[in-house]
């Protein structure tokens, strides 16, 4: 995109064709998902984020605004949002496993909470989150400590704090 003419100079050596094939594949993948949701959209029942976007898109079209909320923009946004999450999940899981190795008592407490709330006969669901307070706090603390996006904000408790019954000591 910086030098569009370079695609004409040894396109295979520059991986231009492979990159274009990948882009077409990704676009097609998300296009099928979005088109399926558009075809099966029911304004009385939002299934997920895609339905919420479609609802907003339809409202914008009624108001005569088609420049922001449209099908093509949504497909490209889904692709843009997906790629960072693929790499971030793996990196974040690696950090979490590292902390569990350093703090096995935290891992035991997380496992005990999951066993108590979810049991062993099924996988956890999003509905279980509301009853997995310690597990949720542990995951969020891991993401806070090992953030993948620098924010230049302090990542420590400046005062002794209590949050939802958990004591968070001031970092000395």
């Amino acid at each position: 995109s910086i030098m569009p003419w370079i695609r004409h100079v040894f396109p295979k050596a520059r991986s231009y064709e492979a990159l274009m094939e990948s882009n077409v594949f990704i676009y097609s993948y998300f296009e099928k998902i979005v088109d399926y949701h558009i075809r099966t959209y029911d304004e009385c029942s939002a299934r997920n984020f895609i339905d919420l976007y479609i609802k907003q898109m339809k409202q914008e079209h009624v108001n005569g605004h088609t420049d922001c909320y449209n099908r093509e923009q949504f497909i490209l946004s889904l692709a843009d949002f997906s790629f960072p999450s693929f790499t971030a999940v793996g990196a974040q899981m690696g950090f979490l496993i590292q902390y569990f190795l350093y703090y096995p008592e935290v891992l035991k407490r997380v496992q005990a909470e999951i066993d108590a709330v979810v049991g062993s006969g099924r996988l956890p669901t999003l509905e279980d989150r509301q009853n997995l307070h310690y597990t949720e706090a542990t995951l969020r603390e891991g993401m806070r400590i090992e953030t993948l996006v620098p924010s230049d904000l302090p990542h420590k408790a400046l005062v002794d704090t209590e949050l939802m019954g958990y004591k968070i000591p001031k970092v000395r």
Side-chain angles (χ1 to χ4, degrees):
S1 63
I2 295 171
M3 297 180 288
W5 55 268
I6 203 156
R7 71 181 179 270
H8 302 295
V9 181
F10 306 113
K12 290 189 188 305
R14 301 279 184 243
S15 301
Y16 177 79
E17 289 178 3
L19 180 62
M20 290 308 296
E21 286 175 19
S22 298
N23 287 341
V24 168
F25 176 82
I26 294 298
Y27 186 90
S28 174
Y29 175 80
F30 285 110
E31 182 180 42
K32 289 175 188 169
I33 293 171
V34 169
D35 287 347
Y36 169 78
H37 277 77
I38 290 172
R39 276 193 320 276
T40 60
Y41 175 72
D42 177 6
E43 66 184 39
C44 298
S45 175
R47 297 168 287 192
N48 52 33
F49 169 74
I50 297 172
D51 282 350
L52 295 175
Y53 189 96
I54 293 168
K55 179 180 180 180
Q56 185 66 36
M57 186 171 66
K58 288 182 179 293
Q59 286 177 337
E60 295 293 322
H61 283 266
V62 166
N63 296 332
H65 303 131
T66 59
D67 53 341
C68 185
Y69 288 91
N70 62 60
R71 178 182 167 275
E72 289 74 24
Q73 184 65 37
F74 188 44
I75 293 167
L76 293 170
S77 295
L78 287 173
D80 286 345
F81 287 132
S82 296
F83 281 104
S85 66
F86 294 148
T87 56
V89 168
Q92 208 65 56
M93 289 302 293
F95 287 130
L96 188 60
I97 290 168
Q98 174 185 332
Y99 278 102
F100 282 155
L101 291 172
Y102 284 134
Y103 304 101
E105 68 279 2
V106 173
L107 175 60
K108 288 177 186 170
R109 190 165 167 192
V110 166
Q111 185 64 57
E113 184 179 63
I114 292 171
D115 289 344
V117 172
V118 178
S120 61
R122 64 180 179 87
L123 293 173
T125 65
L126 286 175
E127 288 76 32
D128 292 320
R129 284 179 68 185
Q130 63 189 348
N131 299 315
L132 294 168
H133 304 293
Y134 186 80
T135 302
E136 177 84 10
T138 300
L139 294 174
R140 289 182 180 271
E141 181 66 0
M143 289 187 284
R144 183 191 69 82
I145 292 170
E146 294 293 346
T147 182
L148 299 176
V149 180
S151 62
D152 294 324
L153 296 173
H155 287 228
K156 61 182 179 181
L158 301 176
V159 296
D160 290 337
T161 307
E162 185 171 329
L163 179 65
M164 296 178 66
Y166 295 99
K167 294 185 187 315
I168 302 168
K170 172 184 174 181
V171 176
R172 312 254 181 240

